[in-house]
Amino acid sequence: MPSQSASGSSTPIGQLTRMAYPPAEWELLIDLPARVMIAATSAEPHSPSQTVSEGLAGMEAIAAGRASDSDLVRAVVAAIYSRSEDDQPAAEEFTDRAAALAGVLAACGAVTRVLSARADPADSAAYRQWLQHIAARVRGATRAGRVPGPGRERFGADERRFVADLGAALNL
């Protein structure tokens, strides 16, 4: 839905949303969903086929942001999908899983502060909940791939800790 600028020209809401953030903050907003997805798939080691299922679930959760009521979430999804292949972030290999997960959680804390300072409270909440939803969808794919038995839980301690820490970093 276009908005009228002061000069009378029509500007898409996504572009207005992007203009509200300095480039480094905007990049953080559009890179973080994929980083959360990767972190959620990496919270505990899994088989390659399980990791693929988790990644697909995470990508579906990112794409689901297109239907969000939030202008910010929709603008971020549009920016993610409008990137050329050359502009796509490189897939992260977590050689030091603990440090990588801590880095993603720190980025979530930073984005929470950015949103608190710049975003409409409803957009801020929607974006942070969307990130949590991405991790939950990955976790749901994890759950679907495991068959609990005596002494075996559906989720490991590291997965539970990551989800709890993510919620704390996002102030949810």
Side-chain angles (χ1 to χ4, degrees):
M1 164 189 261
S3 296
Q4 288 296 107
S5 69
S7 64
S9 66
S10 182
T11 306
I13 288 177
Q15 188 175 7
L16 290 174
T17 301
R18 183 187 188 291
M19 292 172 17
Y21 299 89
E25 291 176 358
W26 184 248
E27 287 300 314
L28 177 63
L29 287 166
I30 63 174
D31 287 345
L32 196 52
R35 292 184 68 200
V36 166
M37 176 188 69
I38 293 166
T41 65
S42 302
E44 289 202 7
H46 301 295
S47 70
S49 63
Q50 185 62 37
T51 301
V52 168
S53 296
E54 293 169 345
L56 291 172
M59 290 180 354
E60 288 173 1
I62 290 171
R66 289 177 172 156
S68 174
D69 290 338
S70 166
D71 291 338
L72 174 62
V73 173
R74 288 192 316 273
V76 168
V77 174
I80 290 168
Y81 284 99
S82 71
R83 285 179 157 177
S84 70
E85 283 191 38
D86 294 337
D87 292 337
Q88 295 292 332
E92 296 180 58
E93 285 278 332
F94 286 174
T95 54
D96 181 347
R97 186 180 348 189
L101 293 174
V104 170
L105 294 171
C108 287
V111 89
T112 297
R113 290 185 296 278
V114 165
L115 293 171
S116 177
R118 297 192 188 281
D120 172 80
D123 276 336
S124 172
Y127 180 90
R128 292 178 294 118
Q129 290 167 355
W130 177 52
L131 291 180
Q132 190 175 48
H133 174 72
I134 293 166
R137 287 287 301 270
V138 169
R139 190 172 176 188
T142 301
R143 180 176 51 241
R146 293 196 186 156
V147 179
R152 289 178 27 202
E153 298 180 37
R154 289 191 183 271
F155 304 108
D158 290 340
E159 287 173 313
R160 287 190 306 275
R161 185 175 22 262
F162 174 72
V163 171
D165 290 347
L166 179 67
L170 294 170
N171 284 338
L172 295 174

